[in-house]
Amino acid sequence: MQIDEPHLTTNQQEFKLKAYWLESSGDFMTPVDYPVVIICPGGGFQYHSARESDPIALQFLAEGFHAIVLPYQLVTPKQTVYPTALHQLARTIEWVSEQAGKRPIDLERIILTGFSAGGHVVATYNSVATNPTLKVQYQLNQYRGEHAAIILHYPVIDLDAGFPQTVAAKNAITPDTTLWHAQQTLTKSAKPAFVWQTATDATVPAINSLLYVTALYQLKIPTEYHLFSEGVHGLALANHVTQRPGKTHDLNAAVAQWFPLVVTWLKAQHLIQTH
């Protein structure tokens, strides 16, 4: 494995990735190109959660994925999250495409995954970048490459569905109300999705994921959805790896099954090769 921390630029603004690259195995008789997962951690659009960054990357590495953590644009006194975060995600996909000749990458298997606020970034990208009209409107058509599927964990979907709670906070994320409602900009071109949340999430109400999944279902886009009966917001892996010291509610054996469920779903979508 190699770790790379490249500096990329989009719209004259620099941002830094953290990329974990698998290396070709000398034990294999034929070369293998690996899928890539791009991770957008949560943090309420205010910070990037470490619990939803490296630990997630390492889990996917163990399943044969290259893994990239994207610290997307946050709310600052001078800048909103959007549209910069969408351009950063598009540029990251393009950068992965540029690495294909140098590393064993399968460009047909680029997966986007987002937690909480990062889930909003990924869900919105899945809507906008696959919507022919909005892709041009938000100038995402200037980037090469595309994703194959998304995975959402307790995502913010609709800024009017419980998080954030004030108009000022919503406008700080973006004053563009088109981007407030990720489910409303979906088209039949959107990519398949795996989504999970807990019914007792007190920070991002479960109606968020339900809105997105309902829209995907109505468009007949392949979707798997798990609403676990209980659990706090921000569970990450929901096991000892991402448990904060003394926080027993970070442990949830039922919710911790989301990762094996994701692996099974990715195999069913032919995004993990089993032959």
Side-chain angles (χ1 to χ4, degrees):
M1 183 187 73
Q2 295 181 351
I3 299 177
D4 189 14
E5 296 188 273
H7 291 258
L8 304 185
T9 302
T10 183
N11 296 345
Q12 300 182 330
Q13 181 172 327
E14 187 177 272
F15 63 103
K16 186 174 78 170
L17 304 175
K18 187 172 185 179
Y20 296 82
W21 297 112
L22 294 171
E23 300 180 74
S24 297
S25 175
D27 296 339
F28 295 165
M29 300 299 293
T30 57
V32 173
D33 288 335
Y34 298 104
V36 181
V37 62
I38 299 173
I39 302 162
C40 293
F45 301 103
Q46 302 295 323
Y47 69 100
H48 300 114
S49 170
R51 297 169 58 247
E52 298 163 350
S53 299
D54 292 352
I56 307 302
L58 294 173
Q59 286 287 313
F60 277 100
L61 280 166
E63 291 295 333
F65 281 76
H66 303 294
I68 298 170
V69 178
L70 168 60
Y72 53 87
Q73 175 65 47
L74 300 174
V75 171
T76 72
K78 295 183 178 181
Q79 191 165 352
T80 59
V81 173
Y82 298 110
T84 300
L86 297 179
H87 284 263
Q88 290 171 330
L89 188 45
R91 177 66 187 109
T92 301
I93 294 171
E94 181 176 64
W95 178 77
V96 169
S97 301
E98 294 167 355
Q99 307 309 303
K102 309 169 190 176
R103 300 185 183 276
I105 298 171
D106 186 345
L107 295 180
E108 299 298 317
R109 294 188 289 157
I110 297 175
I111 315 301
L112 311 180
T113 189
F115 295 77
S116 192
H120 191 270
V121 174
V122 169
T124 301
Y125 188 86
N126 192 39
S127 298
V128 173
T130 59
N131 181 318
T133 301
L134 294 183
K135 185 174 183 178
V136 173
Q137 179 180 330
Y138 290 98
Q139 300 181 324
L140 298 182
N141 58 321
Q142 64 182 297
Y143 303 97
R144 293 190 298 113
E146 62 179 36
H147 65 291
I150 67 169
I151 303 165
L152 302 177
H153 321 254
Y154 39 89
V156 178
I157 293 295
D158 190 313
L159 300 190
D160 285 332
F163 183 90
Q165 296 183 347
T166 68
V167 174
K170 297 171 192 177
N171 283 323
I173 296 166
T174 177
D176 181 354
T177 55
T178 298
L179 301 180
W180 284 17
H181 320 286
Q183 79 280 9
Q184 292 182 6
T185 48
L186 281 165
T187 67
K188 292 183 178 181
S189 298
K191 304 297 184 178
F194 181 103
V195 186
W196 71 268
Q197 194 160 18
T198 62
T200 57
D201 191 325
T203 302
V204 177
I207 189 62
N208 280 266
S209 56
L210 286 164
L211 286 169
Y212 202 70
V213 168
T214 299
L216 290 166
Y217 172 77
Q218 291 172 338
L219 291 166
K220 296 181 170 57
I221 295 165
T223 306
E224 182 163 330
Y225 179 52
H226 295 270
L227 182 63
F228 296 100
S229 61
E230 59 183 9
V232 298
H233 184 75
L235 280 169
L237 292 172
N239 63 17
H240 66 283
V241 176
T242 55
Q243 180 192 13
R244 291 165 291 189
K247 303 291 185 180
T248 57
H249 58 233
D250 284 346
L251 299 174
N252 189 311
V255 174
Q257 294 305 304
W258 75 257
F259 193 80
L261 288 168
V262 161
V263 170
T264 299
W265 180 77
L266 289 169
K267 290 177 180 177
Q269 297 296 315
H270 307 293
L271 295 171
I272 291 178
Q273 293 182 346
T274 57
H275 59 276

